[in-house]
Amino acid sequence: QVQLEESGGGLVQAGESLRLSCAASGSIFRVNDMGWYRQAPGKQRELVALITNGGSTNYADSVKGRFTISRDNAKNTVYLQMNSLKPEDTAVYYCNADLAPLRATTLSFRYWGQGTQVTVSS
């Protein structure tokens, strides 16, 4: 069984920083891409940042220059450093990972975390 466990969400004021963490655990053979998505009230879920196993990254235009995604392959963990937070960053943030489980090492599946609330007050 594979599980993505998130931590680091909370309530902060505009301009402050927050760091999200997400660790993939369980019967994992290989973790490929990892990323963060978010969904605000009344909006569709959107990709915030993505990082490949090789370290390539991409970001939503709205967070470029403020957010940084990174990963620790030895820990199967992805991080999202969020600086200069704005009220419009308020959303539920979801960890996502594309990985190959031990039961099917040549295949890959996409797994989701349960979501963590990030609230930025003005």
Side-chain angles (χ1 to χ4, degrees):
Q1 184 177 354
V2 175
Q3 184 176 5
L4 270 55
E5 188 68 30
E6 300 157 330
S7 62
L11 173 64
V12 297
Q13 293 185 333
E16 295 182 342
S17 298
L18 204 60
R19 192 189 194 201
L20 305 181
S21 299
C22 174
S25 62
S27 301
I28 299 171
F29 176 71
R30 182 186 66 254
V31 180
N32 301 314
D33 297 352
M34 303 187 80
W36 291 93
Y37 292 73
R38 69 185 182 187
Q39 187 167 24
K43 294 184 178 180
Q44 191 173 3
R45 185 176 299 186
E46 65 173 346
L47 174 67
V48 177
L50 178 72
I51 184 167
T52 70
N53 196 35
S56 298
T57 61
N58 62 74
Y59 299 89
D61 289 340
S62 60
V63 306
K64 287 181 179 178
R66 298 188 298 119
F67 291 9
T68 302
I69 189 170
S70 61
R71 64 189 291 169
D72 185 335
N73 290 336
K75 298 180 179 179
N76 288 334
T77 299
V78 63
Y79 307 93
L80 185 66
Q81 178 66 44
M82 303 183 292
N83 297 329
S84 301
L85 283 163
K86 304 175 180 179
E88 46 264 50
D89 294 318
T90 296
V92 177
Y93 284 70
Y94 297 90
C95 178
N96 178 267
D98 181 79
L99 60 85
L102 287 176
R103 65 178 177 85
T105 60
T106 61
L107 303 177
S108 64
F109 304 89
R110 187 159 297 278
Y111 295 84
W112 292 89
Q114 76 285 351
T116 183
Q117 178 70 47
V118 172
T119 302
V120 184
S121 65
S122 60

